[in-house]
Amino acid sequence: MRILLVEDERKVASFVARALRENAYAVDSAGTGEDGLRLALENPYDAILLDVRLPGMSGIELCRKLRQAEIQSPILMLTARSLVEQRVEGLDAGADDYLTKPFALAELQARVRALVRRGFRRGEAKLRCGDLELDRHRRSVIRGSARVPLTSKEFALLELLLLRSPDSVTRSEIIEHVWDSHFDSDTNLVEVYINRLRQKIDQGHGPKLVHTLRGVGYRMGAAE
């Protein structure tokens, strides 16, 4: 899953981004409303975290512009504790929820999980393919009766493949959804992670579920 964080305080942005990345999210960061708007128009996001107080375009104005542009990603506003009117104005502008500063890391993570769940289509909390099950709420994967330990990037990659199964996913789509905007597309990281996923998902199991389609991309499902 990919999240956009719009926050001008560098320490706060670094703290939040690191916490989200540790929980399997790819994170793009912007320090101004203008940059946040540009990124949101260019990329699909599963959720947007938006500080109210931004230099130039305010977070509330940015939220309003995102909704006017018909961007439906769930939005979490980060607001000052004492300013109730900010929270009201943010919700009226189209935000889905708000979190007051300073906040605990555990609460931030819980709010983001709840926010992302709102974007799930009905019936997609658990994704399945054969005897493989991925639980998006608990962030767990089971094949047969065995739990499969995955890194955050491996989990995000498997989630994308399952969401698109039985259709194929191109390399560029994987980069767009699993990695952030700083990804070096000239590396072979996608191929490395596909191989790691194969080893953990398919090794010792049958049938094989992760398939390479030459010249196309990758696919999750039974062999054709």
Side-chain angles (χ1 to χ4, degrees), residues 68-192:
Q68 289 172 349
E70 298 185 353
I71 292 175
Q72 300 301 315
S73 304
I75 295 176
L76 175 68
M77 301 289 289
L78 307 177
T79 70
R81 183 176 299 276
S82 60
L83 300 178
V84 176
E85 64 274 13
Q86 278 190 352
R87 301 199 291 270
V88 173
E89 192 175 359
L91 292 171
D92 286 343
D96 296 272
D97 198 2
Y98 66 85
L99 181 62
T100 55
K101 295 180 178 181
F103 48 77
L105 180 58
E107 183 178 7
L108 168 70
Q109 293 170 334
R111 292 293 185 97
V112 171
R113 287 195 298 270
L115 198 68
V116 171
R117 281 200 297 270
R118 295 180 188 181
F120 291 171
R121 294 189 296 274
R122 185 177 178 84
E124 283 188 348
K126 291 184 178 180
L127 305 174
R128 296 180 177 88
C129 181
D131 62 348
L132 176 71
E133 178 183 281
L134 180 148
D135 190 320
R136 303 175 81 185
H137 292 184
R138 293 185 174 85
R139 317 294 289 175
S140 64
V141 175
I142 294 174
R143 178 140 199 207
S145 59
R147 187 173 295 275
V148 181
L150 298 179
T151 67
S152 60
K153 285 290 185 287
E154 290 166 353
F155 185 94
L157 174 56
L158 177 60
E159 180 182 43
L160 176 61
L161 291 171
L162 285 169
L163 280 169
R164 296 287 295 276
S165 177
D167 296 330
S168 62
V169 183
T170 67
R171 186 176 186 275
S172 61
E173 287 174 324
I174 291 173
I175 293 171
E176 181 178 277
H177 287 84
V178 177
W179 278 270
D180 58 33
S181 58
H182 299 294
F183 180 80
D184 182 359
S185 59
D186 291 331
T187 69
N188 67 337
L189 267 181
V190 172
E191 291 74 21
V192 168

Side-chain angles (χ1 to χ4, degrees), residues 53-68:
R53 291 184 169 181
L54 294 170
M57 183 191 303
S58 72
I60 291 171
E61 184 181 356
L62 172 56
C63 182
R64 190 173 293 115
K65 286 182 178 294
L66 292 173
R67 294 312 188 209
Q68 289 172 349

Side-chain angles (χ1 to χ4, degrees), residues 10-79:
R10 291 187 178 181
K11 289 185 178 180
V12 174
S14 176
F15 170 76
V16 171
R18 183 170 62 251
L20 292 173
R21 289 176 180 130
E22 289 173 354
N23 281 269
Y25 300 109
V27 182
D28 289 340
S29 296
T32 66
E34 289 79 7
D35 285 343
L37 179 61
R38 175 181 55 80
L39 286 171
L41 292 174
E42 291 176 352
N43 305 291
Y45 291 103
D46 295 287
I48 297 173
L49 276 59
L50 180 55
D51 187 29
V52 169
R53 291 184 169 181
L54 294 170
M57 183 191 303
S58 72
I60 291 171
E61 184 181 356
L62 172 56
C63 182
R64 190 173 293 115
K65 286 182 178 294
L66 292 173
R67 294 312 188 209
Q68 289 172 349
E70 298 185 353
I71 292 175
Q72 300 301 315
S73 304
I75 295 176
L76 175 68
M77 301 289 289
L78 307 177
T79 70

